[in-house]
Amino acid sequence: MGTAPGPEGADSLQKDSKVAVVKVQAIGAAPRQVTMKGLYFQQSSTSEEIAFVFQERENLPVTEDNYVKLQVKACALSQINTKLLAEMKMEKDFFPVGREVAGIVLDGILPLDSEDPGLCEAVRVHEHYLVHKPEKVTWTEAAGTIRDGVRAYTALHYLSHLSPGKSVLIMDGASALGTIAIQLAHHRGAKVISTACSLEDKQCLERFRPSIARVIDVSNGKAQVAESCLEETGGLGVDIVLDAGVRLYNKDDEPTVKLQLLPHKHDIITLLGVGGHWVTTEENLQLDPPDSHCLFLKGATVAFLNDEVWNLSNVQQGKYLCILKDVMEKLSTGVFRPQLDEPIPLYEAKVTMEVVQKNQGRKKQVVQF
């Protein structure tokens, strides 16, 4: 892909614009410098003072071997894990925003160390991070589903070995990740239990088809998640738990009301069945010796959901591409039906990203170009 085709190859490439983008330049003509706007996160800002800024950037350099130039059609917005960036020594004054992109030539997730923001007219991407978008799938659907699809596959397929007949508890099922995880679990023939953080979320989950076995309303803070799960499973406990965060301390010690709605770690351990799998998004999970002993007696496992691991080693590249391809196929066949908000234009991306970073939105936000 790094070389320009001859006259015969040019015709074939023009017939299939999804295969490659070719730039033809007259010999001797001086290249014209074109700048584009991209959205960046100001890394030096504190968590209380999140700053997103648009910056002008030069047009993409000449394509290298195994790289393609992608014309962005849609880009989904997700929280930036600033703590992870710091731990991986990837701090910059300005960090590019937007990694879940769909466009021509292909569709994919930009790697964590990409220097190009997805919120830009064009990006330069290595072909190993791209997957073909089916014709039935819209640009916004592709960009808005790809990351949550990868997270759901990682949690349910690779970390907990989901199979038909398993019982699965998916916390906060009306969230963007929860929705895709429920649909994947149903597709695999699992029995799904979920929690709702508001009356609106509860009504949304009750409309799911196939129907959810039980929706536990935790909005008033009085629901007993462990008791409800044990009752639903005849006292056996659930096989798989995918949490959306857990409380590590008593309710009175938690700083915010939102954290008080989360189940306590002891509740999760209690409702796990023998040989169960707990997949957690809580990166600071602390297990005391009694907690570990209880998990030992059940033969249960705890796994941490960090979808960035697929890009940290080339050994995992084949599995990663298989996941991306399968997510697009399930989106095309209607297995995945993402909860997307109305697409927004690029000039609204800065304000919207500030809301996303504070985790104040429910539906997935997608910028459409």
Side-chain angles (χ1 to χ4, degrees):
M1 286 190 179
T3 58
E8 312 86 19
D11 293 336
S12 62
L13 285 171
Q14 288 174 356
K15 292 176 183 177
D16 189 359
S17 61
K18 292 184 179 180
V19 175
V21 173
V22 179
K23 179 179 178 182
V24 180
Q25 182 176 307
I27 298 176
R32 185 167 58 96
Q33 293 294 328
V34 180
T35 59
M36 299 177 291
K37 261 187 181 178
L39 186 64
Y40 291 82
F41 170 75
Q42 196 163 356
Q43 185 88 17
S44 58
S45 61
T46 64
S47 57
E48 291 79 15
E49 299 177 355
I50 298 173
F52 294 94
V53 295
F54 280 108
Q55 285 192 334
E56 294 286 343
R57 55 188 297 271
E58 291 186 359
N59 198 3
L60 301 176
V62 177
T63 303
E64 301 174 11
D65 288 343
N66 301 319
Y67 277 80
V68 296
K69 185 175 180 180
L70 181 73
Q71 180 187 355
V72 179
K73 291 292 185 180
C75 177
L77 304 180
S78 296
Q79 276 186 307
I80 297 175
N81 191 336
T82 55
K83 185 177 180 180
L84 177 63
L85 295 176
E87 290 174 347
M88 296 186 66
K89 311 298 182 184
M90 297 178 64
E91 296 131 314
K92 303 176 184 177
D93 291 337
F94 295 95
F95 193 83
V97 173
R99 296 173 50 219
E100 303 136 73
V101 297
I104 303 171
V105 180
L106 298 167
D107 159 67
I109 301 178
L110 300 184
L112 188 62
D113 59 353
S114 173
E115 297 182 358
D116 299 325
L119 285 172
C120 194
E121 294 176 6
V123 294
R124 189 176 64 101
V125 191
H126 195 285
E127 62 183 357
H128 288 171
Y129 297 104
L130 300 172
V131 65
H132 177 70
K133 180 186 77 65
E135 291 185 6
K136 289 183 179 179
V137 178
T138 66
W139 300 116
T140 54
E141 287 173 340
T145 309
I146 192 72
R147 185 179 186 187
D148 290 317
V150 169
R151 298 185 75 198
Y153 260 86
T154 304
L156 298 181
H157 183 68
Y158 287 97
L159 296 180
S160 56
H161 312 293
L162 178 67
S163 60
K166 296 281 188 178
S167 57
V168 184
L169 170 62
I170 298 174
M171 309 297 294
D172 195 9
S175 65
L177 170 60
T179 297
I180 298 299
I182 290 173
Q183 292 165 356
L184 178 59
H186 274 153
H187 181 69
R188 294 288 178 87
K191 176 182 180 179
V192 178
I193 304 170
S194 188
T195 61
C197 298
S198 67
L199 178 59
E200 183 181 359
D201 287 353
K202 182 174 183 289
Q203 294 171 343
C204 173
L205 292 173
E206 289 174 343
R207 292 193 295 267
F208 269 57
R209 294 296 179 270
S211 59
I212 298 173
R214 177 175 293 201
V215 178
I216 306 170
D217 186 359
V218 298
S219 59
N220 57 12
K222 298 179 181 179
Q224 302 296 322
V225 177
E227 286 79 354
S228 298
C229 290
L230 291 172
E231 180 182 332
E232 186 63 37
T233 58
L236 297 177
V238 300
D239 299 305
I240 299 170
V241 176
L242 172 57
D243 71 35
V246 294
R247 283 190 295 112
L248 304 178
Y249 314 103
N250 295 325
K251 285 189 176 182
D252 296 337
D253 299 326
E254 295 290 356
T256 65
V257 175
K258 185 173 182 179
L259 285 176
Q260 293 178 11
L261 297 179
L262 296 174
H264 195 280
K265 61 180 179 179
H266 295 153
D267 295 331
I268 301 294
I269 296 173
T270 300
L271 62 85
L272 264 180
V274 174
H277 302 280
W278 174 12
V279 182
T280 181
T281 59
E282 179 56 62
E283 59 187 49
N284 296 315
L285 180 66
Q286 299 175 16
L287 295 177
D288 300 320
D291 301 330
S292 299
H293 184 66
C294 187
L295 290 169
F296 167 77
L297 292 176
K298 293 186 176 186
T301 64
V302 179
F304 292 87
L305 178 58
N306 176 14
D307 53 296
E308 301 294 353
V309 297
W310 295 111
N311 294 326
L312 298 181
S313 172
N314 292 333
V315 175
Q316 304 291 339
Q317 198 64 49
K319 292 181 181 178
Y320 181 59
L321 288 175
C322 285
I323 294 176
L324 295 179
K325 182 179 178 181
D326 210 22
V327 170
M328 287 297 104
E329 287 180 355
K330 284 182 169 48
L331 192 56
S332 176
T333 57
V335 173
F336 288 160
R337 302 175 302 281
Q339 301 284 344
L340 304 179
D341 214 333
E342 289 295 322
I344 61 173
L346 180 59
Y347 64 83
E348 293 183 8
K350 178 178 178 295
V351 175
T352 305
M353 189 61 203
E354 291 171 352
V355 175
V356 171
Q357 188 67 19
K358 294 176 183 177
N359 200 23
Q360 295 177 343
R362 294 299 289 164
K363 294 183 177 181
K364 195 75 172 182
Q365 300 288 340
V366 181
V367 176
Q368 189 171 31
F369 288 80

